[in-house]
Amino acid sequence: MKRFSVVNNGYNIEEVNNFIDIVIKKLEKLSEENNNYLMQLENLKKQANQNTDIKVAKALIAAQETTDKMKELAKAEAELIVKEAKDNASAIVQEALVNAQKTEQEYQLLKKKYNVYKAKMESLVKSQLELLKEETEDE
């Protein structure tokens, strides 16, 4: 399974995008190969219609079997690639959610600390004002 580098806010986007590009290229290549096999199959079918020779019919059957096997293999590989990409995407999303929760908790903690500091400062300023007030009243 492909692993990505972790950066400040999750996975390295460039690595993920590069991996997705690789998956797309593989799928395009498999699709192109599949289309080539289908074209070859069509050509063999035409030849079989023109020539009733048993060898051509056997070649057609073998080509059909090969094409079917290649389709199955290509489909299985494509499904595996898509599953891996989905798993990686799920892991990325899960990690992003965890990071978001941590950030929210840190924010709430800082907010509490700020409020405590603010209350202490207000209390200090009030007490200083009272002292100053008492000072001026005594004069």
Side-chain angles (χ1 to χ4, degrees), residues 45-61:
K45 284 180 181 178
K46 288 177 185 176
Q47 289 176 6
N49 287 337
Q50 294 171 356
N51 185 355
T52 57
D53 191 271
I54 293 175
K55 289 182 181 178
V56 174
K58 286 181 181 180
L60 178 61
I61 291 170

Side-chain angles (χ1 to χ4, degrees), residues 31-47:
S31 177
E32 183 178 326
E33 287 177 1
N34 190 37
N35 287 336
N36 287 338
Y37 287 126
L38 290 173
M39 287 174 50
Q40 288 175 3
L41 178 62
E42 286 300 316
N43 289 336
L44 288 173
K45 284 180 181 178
K46 288 177 185 176
Q47 289 176 6

Side-chain angles (χ1 to χ4, degrees), residues 11 87-99:
Y11 286 106
D87 290 345
N88 284 335
S90 295
I92 290 168
V93 168
Q94 185 63 31
E95 187 170 334
L97 289 173
V98 168
N99 287 338

Side-chain angles (χ1 to χ4, degrees), residues 6-46:
V6 177
V7 293
N8 289 342
N9 294 325
Y11 286 106
N12 183 316
I13 292 173
E14 185 176 334
E15 285 183 11
V16 173
N17 286 340
N18 288 340
F19 178 73
I20 290 173
D21 288 342
I22 290 169
V23 169
I24 290 169
K25 286 178 185 175
K26 281 186 179 181
L27 288 174
E28 287 173 347
K29 182 181 177 189
L30 290 172
S31 177
E32 183 178 326
E33 287 177 1
N34 190 37
N35 287 336
N36 287 338
Y37 287 126
L38 290 173
M39 287 174 50
Q40 288 175 3
L41 178 62
E42 286 300 316
N43 289 336
L44 288 173
K45 284 180 181 178
K46 288 177 185 176

